[in-house]
Amino acid sequence: PTPAWPMGRGAAAPPISRLRRRARAMMAAGKVLEYEAFLTEVLQPDLQKILEQRDKVYEKIAQYLQLKNVIERLQESESKELTMQVDLGCNFYVKAKVPDTSMIFVSVGYGFFVELTFAEALRFIERQSLQLTGFAEKLSKDSAKIKGNIRMVLEALCELQGFKDLPVENMREIF
């Protein structure tokens, strides 16, 4: 009995080379789907998380630098009493009076505050800023590695699909 080929009954079987090409094309299509899934489900979310973490670290560094500037201005003014407006939330401000500005409360994390002198607070801020800067640099290196992995996956996808190279002008949009 003659096998039923897609060409119809009695047609000659396709050559082996054409079957191999079709099988390779199907395998390549499967690999393309795997690489695309890895790209969208793993690499891009990981990159997003790392960049969000780094942004939060930069925000903390900015808050410490702002506190440092306030402390330095308080030291320069040498006044013992301070009147200011404090935000209670939702842009609702009240007038506050600080009778003694020789000490300051600094958040050390997990909802704990420590009363420090200006010199102690400046040392604490310097240490925290250095530590957070190191952590931000590590996160930047991690994001660069992930971006490299994304680039490698995109190049593999281009190779599997038969494209020459990735367009350089569109690379900024990917990252």
Side-chain angles (χ1 to χ4, degrees):
T2 314
W5 298 105
M7 308 281 269
R9 211 182 245 313
I16 297 295
S17 61
R18 198 165 41 178
L19 288 174
R20 285 187 181 144
R21 273 184 284 172
R22 188 180 298 163
R24 275 192 218 126
M26 289 174 56
M27 285 178 26
K31 285 290 183 189
V32 166
L33 291 176
E34 285 180 35
Y35 279 133
E36 286 176 350
F38 180 67
L39 183 67
T40 58
E41 294 173 7
V42 177
L43 290 177
Q44 289 175 341
D46 285 353
L47 179 62
Q48 187 68 30
K49 276 190 241 174
I50 294 283
L51 294 177
E52 287 172 1
Q53 275 184 313
R54 189 182 65 180
D55 289 344
K56 287 178 184 176
V57 169
Y58 283 145
E59 282 178 23
K60 281 187 177 184
I61 292 171
Q63 290 172 351
Y64 278 122
L65 293 177
Q66 184 180 13
L67 179 59
K68 180 181 176 183
N69 290 335
V70 168
I71 291 171
E72 288 171 348
R73 276 191 265 133
L74 285 172
Q75 283 179 324
E76 290 170 3
S77 72
E78 296 182 9
S79 67
K80 290 287 182 186
E81 195 173 280
L82 178 67
T83 304
M84 59 193 303
Q85 289 199 357
V86 178
D87 186 5
L88 295 179
C90 298
N91 289 325
F92 185 73
Y93 290 87
V94 294
K95 202 175 220 181
K97 185 176 181 180
V98 180
D100 181 21
T101 60
S102 63
M103 301 290 273
I104 187 170
F105 283 96
V106 178
S107 172
V108 292
Y110 297 109
F112 291 101
F113 291 83
V114 177
E115 189 175 18
L116 302 171
T117 64
F118 289 147
E120 292 170 336
L122 288 173
R123 280 195 308 272
F124 175 78
I125 290 169
E126 189 64 33
R127 280 191 305 233
Q128 287 296 107
S129 295
L130 285 174
Q131 182 182 12
L132 288 171
T133 302
F135 187 55
E137 288 173 2
K138 181 191 175 299
L139 290 172
S140 293
K141 287 178 183 177
D142 290 348
S143 72
K145 286 179 186 176
I146 293 173
K147 286 178 183 180
N149 290 339
I150 288 173
R151 174 72 184 192
M152 191 170 40
V153 168
L154 289 174
E155 287 177 1
L157 282 169
C158 284
E159 186 178 313
L160 283 172
Q161 293 174 336
F163 298 129
K164 296 280 183 193
D165 285 323
L166 282 173
V168 177
E169 66 274 0
N170 293 338
M171 285 308 295
R172 292 274 178 218
E173 296 173 11
I174 293 170
F175 307 120

